[in-house]
Amino acid sequence: MADRLMLLDTASLYFRAFYGVPDSLTREDGTPVNAVRGLLDMIAKLVTDFEPTQLVACWDDDWRPAWRVALIPTYKAHRVEREVDGGPDVEQTPPGLVRQVPLIREVLSLLGIAVVGAPEHEADDVIGTLATGASMPVDVVTGDRDLFQLVDDATGVRVVYTARGMSKLEVLTDASVVQKYGVLPQQYADFAAMRGDASDGLPGVAGVGEKTAAGLLQAFVDLDGIREAAATGAAGMSAGVRAKLTAAAGYLDVAPQVVEVVRDLDLGEFDATLRPVDGARRDRLEHLAVDWNLGGSVARVLAALDR
C-alpha cells in the first residue's frame, strides 16, 4: 500500500457527529455518547475508503487565537461564551458535547491516532503545516471551506469535504475548486477574504460577493494585484468596485493574515503511523465500548485499523 497521510479537522468532525447522531444514544448514567460514536464511525469509514497509512487528529489548542482577533476583533466573536484573560476564550459548545471531549481524546489515544495541536493556533494551522511539509499524498478531512486553499495537485494534497455528510463526501482537487468558485486553490484565501464569512465573523468587502471576487482574481491574479489596479484606476475594474475596495482598505490590510492558514509551525516529533490495536489498549477499548455504550463503533474502527 502506498503511503498516504490523512489529516482530520477533528472539531469539525465531532461537532458534525454530535448534531448528526441522535442524542438519545447515552451511557447508562445519561451521559450522551453520540459524538464519540459518530466520530469513530467516521474514522472507520475514512480509513476503509481512503486507505491512509498515517493519520493525525489535528486539534484546536486555541480555536480563536488572540493574534487573529487583534487583527479583526469580530473574528469568531459571536461564538464566544466567555472571554479568558491570557488564554483561549471558551467557545459556545453544547454541554452534551463538552462532556464527550475527554472521552474522544482518550479513545483516539488508545487507537494510536496522534492528536496534534499547537499553542495559540487552530487546527487549520496544524493541518496547513503538516500538509505543506508532507513527503507523501495528503487527504485533509474537513467541513471548513477555508482549507480549500491547501489543495494542490502538484504535491498531492486533496480535501475530503464533509459538508454534505459522510455518505456524500466530495474529494476536491485543483479542477473542482476552479469548478466551484472560478479560482485556483492558491487564490482561495484572497477570494475568501474579499467574500467574507459570517460564520467566522469576517465581514468581507461590502458589496463584493463570490462572483465579483472570482472575476477580480481572474483579471488581476491576487489581492495585491487587485488593490494595485484599484489604486491606479487600471482598465477592467469598474468605478463602483474600485470604490468598494478602497473603502475596505483597512480590512484588506489585515484580512489575508487572518484567513491564510499557517504553514510553518514547530509541531515536534510524533508517530502518525496507523497500526492494528492490540494488547492492553485493545482490551481497554473493548471495555470502554461496553461501559460507555459505544455500540459497534469501537469494533468497526478496530476492524478498519486491522486491515
Side-chain angles (χ1 to χ4, degrees):
M1 184 185 301
D3 284 340
R4 176 172 290 278
L5 171 63
M6 177 169 282
L7 304 174
L8 305 182
D9 183 1
T10 314
S12 169
L13 298 182
Y14 66 61
F15 266 91
R16 175 168 293 278
F18 178 78
Y19 287 109
V21 178
D23 60 9
S24 57
L25 296 175
T26 65
R27 192 186 189 192
E28 188 175 351
D29 65 2
T31 303
V33 294
N34 54 335
V36 184
R37 289 176 62 157
L39 179 63
L40 290 177
D41 283 337
M42 289 177 180
I43 292 172
K45 175 178 174 58
L46 290 163
V47 169
T48 300
D49 290 356
F50 293 92
E51 299 185 327
T53 57
Q54 298 191 29
L55 180 63
V56 180
C58 301
W59 205 263
D60 281 319
D61 277 10
D62 190 339
W63 68 280
R64 187 178 183 246
W67 59 270
R68 282 190 165 110
V69 176
L71 294 168
I72 298 181
T74 58
Y75 183 64
K76 296 185 177 180
H78 60 296
R79 289 155 55 182
V80 175
E81 179 175 296
R82 185 177 76 255
E83 293 186 353
V84 177
D85 291 336
D89 293 333
V90 177
E91 183 177 13
Q92 291 178 355
T93 306
L97 176 54
V98 172
R99 296 170 71 185
Q100 296 181 66
V101 173
L103 181 59
I104 288 171
R105 291 287 301 243
E106 181 179 3
V107 169
L108 290 173
S109 176
L110 290 169
L111 289 170
I113 295 174
V115 177
V116 181
E120 300 179 357
H121 287 85
E122 302 173 54
D124 286 9
D125 303 314
V126 175
I127 291 170
T129 296
L130 294 174
T132 301
S135 58
M136 63 189 73
V138 178
D139 287 326
V140 174
V141 184
T142 185
D144 185 351
R145 295 180 299 175
D146 286 344
L147 290 171
F148 293 175
Q149 64 189 276
L150 297 175
V151 171
D152 188 345
D153 287 0
T155 58
V157 179
R158 310 183 299 187
V159 164
V160 180
Y161 191 44
T162 63
R164 297 173 62 201
M166 293 300 292
S167 64
K168 297 181 180 179
L169 295 173
E170 296 180 75
V171 179
L172 299 186
T173 61
D174 287 3
S176 44
V177 174
V178 172
Q179 183 179 20
K180 273 180 172 291
Y181 298 107
V183 299
L184 294 166
Q186 57 265 37
Q187 296 174 305
Y188 190 84
D190 286 346
F191 170 80
M194 286 188 287
R195 176 198 62 201
D197 189 340
S199 68
D200 280 343
L202 296 174
V205 177
V208 172
E210 290 192 351
K211 184 175 180 180
T212 300
L216 289 169
L217 287 164
Q218 290 163 12
F220 303 108
V221 181
D222 57 22
L223 190 53
D224 287 342
I226 291 168
R227 299 189 71 186
E228 182 179 354
T232 60
M237 183 183 296
S238 72
V241 169
R242 187 179 304 120
K244 292 170 183 175
L245 292 167
T246 301
Y251 166 77
L252 291 174
D253 285 342
V254 298
Q257 295 170 259
V258 175
V259 175
E260 290 172 5
V261 299
V262 178
R263 299 175 183 244
D264 59 357
L265 295 175
D266 181 0
L267 299 174
E269 297 293 324
F270 58 89
D271 185 0
T273 304
L274 284 180
R275 300 180 178 88
V277 181
D278 53 24
R281 288 193 291 118
R282 194 178 190 101
D283 291 343
R284 173 63 177 159
L285 281 165
E286 290 172 347
H287 173 76
L288 284 176
V290 175
D291 187 37
W292 283 84
N293 187 31
L294 300 181
S297 298
V298 166
R300 284 188 285 273
V301 76
L302 287 172
L305 296 176
D306 284 343
R307 288 171 167 268

